[in-house]
Amino acid sequence: MLRFFNYKRFVILLLFILTSGVCSDVRTQSLDSESSLGRYESTFSPLPDANDPRWQVVPIEEWEKTFHFLADSANSNLERLETWSATYNTVTGVDLNYMSRSIPMSRASSSSLPSYVVDRQLYSFYRDNGINKTYISLARQGALAFYNKQYERMDSDRLRSEDPLATIAIKSNLKAIITPDQLLMYEYDRDARRSDALQQVGYDEFGKFCVVLPPNSDKISPIGTIFDPQFFYYQNVRNPYKHWSDLELGLLADLRAHKNQKDDTVTKRVKVQKATIDDVDWFRIERSMTPPGGERLTSVYYFNSASGYCLVMSIFMRNEIERTTTRFEFKNVDGVYIPQRYLHEYYNSVNPNDNERKSFRYFDLVKAEVNKPIPDEQFVMDALGMDDDAVVYNKSDNNYYSYEKGQDSPELIANAYDTPDSVTPRAPSSPIWRSPMRITALALGLGLLVLGVIFKVRKKMASS
């Protein structure tokens, strides 16, 4: 998700960004008003306080009925959502203090690194739940906003000129297609260097790639490069368990253990409450567990009638300290509840640190349609709008393939581990006039040919 000019730093930072860590809430967000996490938190309606006297305890005899009611309501909403397309304004804020602690560097270099970066993008997608396929488009809106150790806005141009290693590029302006078999990812505004094997068969030194990855790639994540719209309803898209799985699995298992007299701690670990506040019915469920020798883990869920009893907030705590929070605000579109706003907050470090801020990803709905036909062509490679000379790289077999619009099966070009001597040059994959390198080579060849002809003519004239 992030990359440096220095490869080792890039790898460390990439692992950091793709892994959702947790940390104690030790400082208040203090970025400028446009990038402050508090600004996006304020767009959500406040939840009833946990100590509000209007909360009533749901007796254990009614737990099973309550769990099934909430799970069935959420499942019913998804069953009505056959297809949907939407556009959101999204803001991503990432704490970068982890870099200065993880990457060996001089004090000067460390002090020049930004501590926080904010990226704004336009996020659009088509999703067909019936065939489990998704098309996604990301387009950056404005420049990246960097912040220093004091969380003051930094001059990006000055940062780039004074210390190139501090320059960070977040993958934006990309298109992706997710199917049950693969993930296709195409950065349409960035040229990457091509291997010697590709250049040997006639491709330019720099060009665009479409990368083919497995459908369970770690690039698909609530905080990763690709945000699958299923994350609006699922915690994890790699298994069938939904984000209310505690209702269908863990909580029901606790209840059975209590009934079978195998666990007498259930009534102490699980709390179920309900309330009616301003004509809205609310449910609050808290579930804790302490693995042997481990920390106390607590999950808290809020549901209400205004969202069709879909989840409106989840909180994960470790030893009573909030580590991850997800907020939802839903909108009813043609009888289906879809997120109007979504905010996921998390920490990038496992260990608490006074200098860290929460990272976040925020979505605000622009427009949406539900249950409208989506053509099959929206989920094939041609929909990515690739350049004619783009190369397809399949990470599963490490092969490069040529791309041609409408082509049924891409043609194998070379393997990633091929050397120039092991491949046979092929005809250019794009017109010669689109390649400066080929034009230069052609001009040089013609020039040598002309010089040869002139030399022969002069020699003949001299001898005569």
Side-chain angles (χ1 to χ4, degrees):
M1 182 146 175
L2 300 179
R3 69 177 171 84
F4 280 101
F5 292 106
N6 181 285
Y7 178 75
K8 291 183 179 179
R9 297 184 183 184
F10 160 60
V11 172
I12 294 173
L13 183 59
L14 182 64
L15 292 174
F16 142 65
I17 291 298
L18 294 177
T19 304
S20 175
V22 289
C23 172
S24 59
D25 193 357
V26 293
R27 285 186 73 169
T28 303
Q29 228 40 39
S30 61
L31 303 177
D32 63 64
S33 59
E34 290 188 1
S35 303
S36 169
L37 174 57
R39 173 189 178 184
Y40 303 108
E41 290 177 334
S42 67
T43 63
F44 293 81
S45 302
L47 273 68
D49 188 272
N51 297 317
D52 193 306
R54 287 171 290 187
W55 285 114
Q56 300 176 359
V57 175
V58 176
I60 194 169
E61 293 78 17
E62 297 181 17
W63 282 11
E64 185 170 5
K65 178 182 177 181
T66 301
F67 300 157
H68 282 303
F69 168 74
L70 295 174
D72 290 346
S73 297
N75 282 323
S76 175
N77 182 71
L78 269 182
E79 289 170 359
R80 297 194 301 274
L81 186 59
E82 298 176 3
T83 64
W84 64 312
S85 60
T87 298
Y88 288 84
N89 286 316
T90 180
V91 184
T92 301
V94 182
D95 184 271
L96 303 176
N97 281 295
Y98 184 84
M99 295 188 306
S100 59
R101 297 194 306 274
S102 301
I103 306 172
M105 61 180 66
S106 67
R107 183 182 300 272
S109 297
S110 177
S111 63
S112 67
L113 286 175
S115 290
Y116 208 90
V117 59
V118 176
D119 186 26
R120 291 173 174 79
Q121 297 169 310
L122 190 67
Y123 170 80
S124 304
F125 66 85
Y126 293 89
R127 168 72 189 167
D128 191 321
N129 288 336
I131 59 177
N132 192 23
K133 293 182 179 181
T134 304
Y135 166 89
I136 296 170
S137 172
L138 272 177
R140 178 171 292 166
Q141 296 180 303
L144 295 174
F146 295 97
Y147 298 85
N148 62 17
K149 295 286 185 182
Q150 291 72 42
Y151 292 91
E152 300 166 335
R153 187 74 174 264
M154 301 177 71
D155 186 327
S156 298
D157 293 336
R158 182 178 177 183
L159 173 68
R160 189 176 296 108
S161 62
E162 289 184 352
D163 188 355
L165 293 179
T167 303
I168 298 171
I170 294 179
K171 285 186 177 180
S172 296
N173 300 331
L174 63 84
K175 297 179 182 179
I177 294 174
I178 308 172
T179 73
D181 303 318
Q182 62 187 5
L183 161 66
L184 305 176
M185 192 169 67
Y186 177 63
E187 291 184 76
Y188 57 83
D189 72 334
R190 187 177 76 91
D191 289 346
R193 188 185 185 283
R194 289 169 172 165
S195 67
D196 292 338
L198 286 176
Q199 296 179 53
Q200 181 73 10
V201 297
Y203 283 88
D204 295 340
E205 181 180 2
F206 290 90
K208 295 180 176 60
F209 286 91
C210 172
V211 181
V212 182
L213 299 165
N216 61 348
S217 168
D218 57 8
K219 292 190 179 295
I220 304 174
S221 160
I223 63 169
T225 304
I226 304 297
F227 183 94
D228 190 323
Q230 293 185 91
F231 288 125
F232 286 130
Y233 297 96
Y234 294 73
Q235 280 185 328
N236 191 332
V237 299
R238 301 179 189 180
N239 60 46
Y241 303 144
K242 303 172 179 60
H243 65 197
W244 53 87
S245 60
D246 267 355
L247 297 172
E248 300 176 305
L249 298 173
L251 287 164
L252 289 177
D254 286 343
L255 187 57
R256 285 193 298 270
H258 174 79
K259 289 180 177 179
N260 296 331
Q261 298 182 345
K262 294 182 178 180
D263 188 348
D264 58 0
T265 68
V266 172
T267 54
K268 299 176 182 178
R269 297 187 297 103
V270 179
K271 182 187 297 184
V272 183
Q273 298 171 292
K274 65 179 179 180
T276 300
I277 301 173
D278 298 331
D279 298 324
V280 177
D281 294 332
W282 288 85
F283 286 91
R284 181 182 184 276
I285 300 175
E286 181 176 324
R287 179 179 184 240
S288 297
M289 57 189 300
T290 306
E295 299 174 294
R296 183 177 177 83
L297 308 177
T298 303
S299 297
V300 183
Y301 305 97
Y302 287 85
F303 308 83
N304 67 22
S305 57
S307 66
Y309 296 104
C310 291
L311 182 69
V312 294
M313 187 169 186
S314 66
I315 304 169
F316 173 72
M317 295 183 286
R318 191 183 297 271
N319 288 341
E320 311 306 322
I321 299 174
E322 287 188 18
R323 303 302 181 93
T324 304
T325 302
T326 308
R327 305 167 193 260
F328 302 83
E329 195 161 284
F330 288 86
K331 178 180 182 179
N332 191 316
V333 178
D334 296 335
V336 180
Y337 289 93
I338 65 170
Q340 171 76 37
R341 276 174 286 274
Y342 168 96
L343 177 62
H344 181 69
E345 308 172 21
Y346 61 99
Y347 285 99
N348 282 327
S349 176
V350 174
N351 299 316
N353 186 282
D354 289 343
N355 294 323
E356 293 191 353
R357 301 295 196 277
K358 279 184 178 179
S359 298
F360 70 91
R361 177 166 274 177
Y362 173 77
F363 291 85
D364 189 12
L365 182 66
V366 177
K367 60 181 180 179
E369 288 186 336
V370 302
N371 297 331
K372 299 296 176 69
I374 300 176
D376 294 340
E377 292 77 14
Q378 190 64 61
F379 305 111
V380 299
M381 190 175 289
D382 284 351
L384 298 176
M386 292 193 293
D387 290 358
D388 292 338
D389 62 345
V391 174
V392 178
Y393 169 56
N394 192 320
K395 197 167 184 179
S396 298
D397 57 16
N398 286 311
N399 283 333
Y400 295 111
Y401 298 86
S402 64
Y403 166 75
E404 187 174 335
K405 189 173 181 179
Q407 190 176 16
D408 293 334
S409 56
E411 180 183 353
L412 177 65
I413 304 172
N415 186 273
Y417 301 111
D418 284 343
T419 61
D421 295 335
S422 66
V423 296
T424 303
R426 299 172 181 267
S429 58
S430 60
I432 193 169
W433 58 84
R434 297 192 57 178
S435 170
M437 182 179 294
R438 293 175 196 150
I439 293 176
T440 302
L442 178 61
L444 181 60
L446 290 175
L448 292 174
L449 180 61
V450 170
L451 288 174
V453 171
I454 293 174
F455 177 77
K456 287 185 177 181
V457 170
R458 288 183 175 179
K459 185 177 181 180
K460 184 177 182 179
M461 291 176 62
S463 63
S464 62

